[in-house]
């Protein structure tokens, strides 16, 4: 016996109508995006897009300068690149170390609301301010050099780590934690035995991802005098040394790619 | 000595009354089954006894010490939880930690806080944990992650944790609901063994009435958040269970209570009129 033999089943079953509110929502979102793009066209000088093509002769000349990279000072570049990675390493590790307590304090399933809200706002502030801005501030405070870069990465990433880590904490399974609580463990012990093991793989993965990103960010810190390869990159661009600029950029790209690949492999192991 | 004493416990979730004036007393050393249809408030009651949830009114005392009263958790609740072992339907083990660590967690309430927090467990403590695992029959799996164990093994690891904890009262919330019959029997045997050999008080919520009859001399039945029967398990008869479980009764009720030798006892401590029928019906 098939279903269609049933007298009670109608020939066609009407699809329930779309919810009006959802249709409206789609119009508002897409319409709003279109309006925002129009509104931003002139201020962003998007009309100059033609210059990319009208001055194509200049562009070709500019580009061809890069085709003959000058590796004469390669050891100096590599040395600066290693320094850049070292800055990123310290900035990342400091932000993880200090970010963990902030992450826990900004997780609504662990801390009370009157702690969560202020801590989250503080972390928002760290995140909202770009690392380059922090770098300028720290150059003033602690002087030119790599330490200012480390501090800039540290403070900006503190906000990011706290947010990413606390999102992982808020998504945990509460039952194992309750199981630990039921043994008479303290709150800190609940966190260490119940929460950390659950979030560890995600935390490791986020940390490695932040390290990748920080290596990339650290390559521009030198522009404001906060150490690393950015400084010589900026100088060679401003001096129209195309060959040197190309060599530095190649070293940056290779390093960033290698760091990304390594960290991706490590992340796979963590999960 | 009274292990659990509850007086007028009431709890409302939003507009849902989950517990409605529950009063009962369980002497130390008893093994009691808690039965009732889905949503009748068994888990909620167990969570209140363990001090994991606060009631709206009424009070609960464990071994003569108040753990909560009139919606307030006693200041000693964290300390008192040590003497209460809780086993949950979902096992509540930490999946990514090895079984042995999950069991060692049972020591956290007893040892120096700092040492427990840092995870420095002594050789003797590890030895005790291994003995507990041996007792529940899973010492070979000690180094495996909890997530790699079968359901029945995880439940036994949870029991081992409660054993290590030095609990005197064991609360088990549907410990066998997700287990196959062989594992279920195994877990019930272990609970019964702990009750007999260690004199531990055991309160176990169950869906399968035949397990209540086999392992627990006393049964407490709940319906809509109230205790509707409290008496010997052998006196539970099919008519009563049909009423207790309503529609869902067919799957739950197995062969009728042992009728054999003695004439069937009627419920002795039925709440309300003293009649065997459901008080609320
Ligand atoms: N945290 C909560 N929030 C809201 N309602 C809840 C909560 N916990 C329990 N309830 C409600 O309280 C009632 C009793 O639930 P409880 O889990 O105690 O039932 P149960 O007897 O254990 O059922 P089951 O046999 O299905 O496990 C249910 O109606 C449930 O929806
Ligand atoms: Mg339940």
């Amino acid at each position: 016996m098939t279903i269609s033999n049933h007298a009670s089943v109608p020939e066609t079953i009407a699809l329930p109508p779309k919810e009006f509110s959802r249709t409206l929502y789609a119009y508002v979102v897409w319409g709003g995006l279109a309006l925002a793009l129009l509104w931003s066209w002139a201020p962003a000088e998007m009309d100059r897009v033609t210059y990319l093509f009208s001055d194509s002769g200049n562009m070709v000349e500019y580009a061809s300068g890069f085709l003959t990279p000058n590796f004469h000072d390669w050891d100096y570049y590599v040395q600066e690149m290693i320094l850049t990675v070292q800055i990123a390493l310290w900035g990342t590790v400091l932000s993880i170390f200090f970010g963990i307590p902030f992450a826990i304090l900004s997780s609504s399933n662990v801390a009370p609301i009157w702690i969560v809200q202020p801590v989250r706002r503080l972390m928002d502030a760290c995140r909202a301010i770009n690392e380059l801005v922090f770098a300028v501030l720290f150059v003033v405070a602690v002087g030119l050099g790599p330490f200012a870069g480390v501090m800039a990465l540290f403070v900006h990433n503190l906000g990011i780590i706290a947010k990413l880590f606390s999102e992982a904490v808020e998504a945990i399974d509460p039952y194992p934690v309750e199981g630990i609580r039921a043994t008479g463990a303290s709150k800190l012990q609940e966190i260490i035995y119940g929460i950390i093991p659950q979030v560890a793989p995600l935390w490791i993965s986020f940390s490695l991802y932040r390290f990748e990103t920080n290596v990339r960010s650290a390559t521009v810190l030198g522009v404001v005098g906060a150490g690393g390869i950015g400084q010589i990159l900026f100088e060679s661009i401003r001096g129209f040394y195309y060959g040197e600029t190309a060599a530095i950029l190649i070293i940056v790209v290779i390093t960033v790619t290698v760091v990304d690949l390594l960290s991706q492999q490590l992340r796979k192991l963590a999960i | 000595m009274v292990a659990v004493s509850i007086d007028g416990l009431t709890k409302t979730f939003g507009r849902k009354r989950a517990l409605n004036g529950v009063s009962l007393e369980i002497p130390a050393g008893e093994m009691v089954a808690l039965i009732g249809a889905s949503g009748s408030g068994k888990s909620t009651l167990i969570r209140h006894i363990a001090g994991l949830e606060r009631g709206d009114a009424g009070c609960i005392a464990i071994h003569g010490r108040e753990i909560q009263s009139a919606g307030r958790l006693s200041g000693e609740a964290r300390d008192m939880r040590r003497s209460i072992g809780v086993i949950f339907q979902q096992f509540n083990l930490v999946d990514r930690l090895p079984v042995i660590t999950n069991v060692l967690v049972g020591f956290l309430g007893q040892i120096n806080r700092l040492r427990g927090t840092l995870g420095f467990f002594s050789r003797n403590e590890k030895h005790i944990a291994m003995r507990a695992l041996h007792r529940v029959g899973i010492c070979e799996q000690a180094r495996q992650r909890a997530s790699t164990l079968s359901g029945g093994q995880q439940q036994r690891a949870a029991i081992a944790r409660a054993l290590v904890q030095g609990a005197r009262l064991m609360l088990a919330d549907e410990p066998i609901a997700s287990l196959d019959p062989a594992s279920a029997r195994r877990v019930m045997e272990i609970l019964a063994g702990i009750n007999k050999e260690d004199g531990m008080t055991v309160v176990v919520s169950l869906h399968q009435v035949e397990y209540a009859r086999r392992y627990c001399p006393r049964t407490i039945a709940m319906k809509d958040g109230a205790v509707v029967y409290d008496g010997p398990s052998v006196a539970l008869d099919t008519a009563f269970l049909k009423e207790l479980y309503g529609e869902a009764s067919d799957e739950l009720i197995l062969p009728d209570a042992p009728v054999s030798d003695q004439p069937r006892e009627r419920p002795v401590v039925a709440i309300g009129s003293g009649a065997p029928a459901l008080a609320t019906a």
Side-chain angles (χ1 to χ4, degrees), chain B residues 207-230:
Chain B
H207 264 301
Q208 299 94 323
V209 179
E210 94 261 25
Y211 282 99
R213 283 191 188 132
R214 180 154 357 137
Y215 294 99
C216 308
R218 172 178 167 195
T219 291
I220 295 171
M222 298 188 66
K223 184 173 186 173
D224 300 329
V227 174
V228 290
Y229 173 79
D230 185 349

Side-chain angles (χ1 to χ4, degrees), chain B residues 148-193:
Chain B
T148 63
L149 264 55
S150 73
Q153 290 171 333
Q154 292 198 34
Q155 199 56 287
R156 286 187 265 155
I159 295 176
R161 178 169 72 188
L163 284 174
V164 159
Q165 203 182 315
R168 287 191 289 152
L169 165 67
M170 180 84 87
L171 305 171
D173 187 12
E174 296 188 34
I176 58 169
S178 50
L179 306 184
D180 63 80
S183 311
R185 262 196 305 279
R186 182 86 207 253
V187 166
M188 288 306 291
E189 300 279 336
I190 292 171
L191 288 177

Side-chain angles (χ1 to χ4, degrees), chain A residues 8-223:
Chain A
S8 59
V9 176
E11 280 288 296
T12 55
I13 301 170
L15 196 67
K18 267 192 191 167
E19 262 180 73
F20 175 69
S21 64
R22 291 188 56 177
T23 318
L24 184 70
Y25 180 73
Y27 278 120
V28 169
V29 168
W30 291 111
L33 179 62
L35 281 177
L37 282 172
L38 272 178
W39 175 63
S40 313
W41 177 267
E45 299 188 352
M46 288 304 291
D47 46 328
R48 291 178 68 128
V49 70
T50 50
Y51 283 57
L52 284 176
F53 309 104
S54 60
D55 291 345
S56 61
N58 282 353
M59 290 290 290
V60 168
E61 195 191 318
Y62 191 58
S64 65
F66 283 98
L67 290 179
T68 47
N70 179 354
F71 280 103
H72 185 257
D73 287 328
W74 69 271
D75 47 346
Y76 177 49
Y77 304 154
V78 168
Q79 202 184 315
E80 286 295 300
M81 190 65 233
I82 291 173
L83 173 63
T84 309
V85 175
Q86 288 167 328
I87 293 171
L89 184 65
W90 267 104
T92 311
V93 169
L94 284 178
S95 66
I96 293 166
F97 188 79
F98 291 97
I100 287 174
F102 282 115
I104 301 228
L105 291 177
S106 58
S107 303
S108 55
N109 54 347
V110 181
I113 187 89
W114 50 270
I115 291 183
V116 169
Q117 284 305 329
V119 173
R120 278 198 193 164
R121 295 296 83 78
L122 180 69
M123 293 299 107
D124 286 350
C126 292
R127 227 173 25 247
I129 300 170
N130 188 283
E131 50 256 90
L132 263 186
V133 179
F134 274 125
V136 175
L137 294 174
F138 277 110
V139 163
V140 176
V142 302
L144 287 169
F147 184 65
V150 170
M151 292 314 288
L153 287 181
F154 161 47
V155 178
H156 178 69
N157 278 279
L158 187 68
I160 296 177
I161 289 278
K163 184 181 168 79
L164 289 175
F165 280 22
S166 91
E167 272 170 10
V169 170
E170 289 183 340
I172 57 158
D173 179 2
Y175 294 112
V177 184
E178 196 161 74
I180 306 243
R181 183 175 314 148
T183 67
S186 72
K187 186 91 185 176
L188 182 60
Q189 290 170 341
E190 280 174 32
I191 293 171
I192 289 183
Y193 288 92
I195 296 180
I196 306 273
Q198 290 195 57
V199 295
L202 221 51
W203 279 13
I204 292 172
S205 167
F206 286 149
S207 302
L208 288 165
Y209 178 67
R210 284 319 299 170
F211 177 61
E212 288 170 34
T213 317
N214 286 339
V215 171
R216 268 173 269 152
S217 307
T219 58
V220 294
L221 289 174
V223 173

Side-chain angles (χ1 to χ4, degrees), chain B residues 13-14 16-19 36-45 47 53 89 173-174 205 207:
Chain B
F13 288 111
K16 168 87 195 168
R17 176 149 283 199
L19 292 176
S38 191
S40 57
K42 304 180 296 292
S43 303
T44 308
L45 180 61
R47 292 171 50 76
E53 193 94 61
Q89 183 178 347
D173 187 12
E174 296 188 34
S205 85
H207 264 301

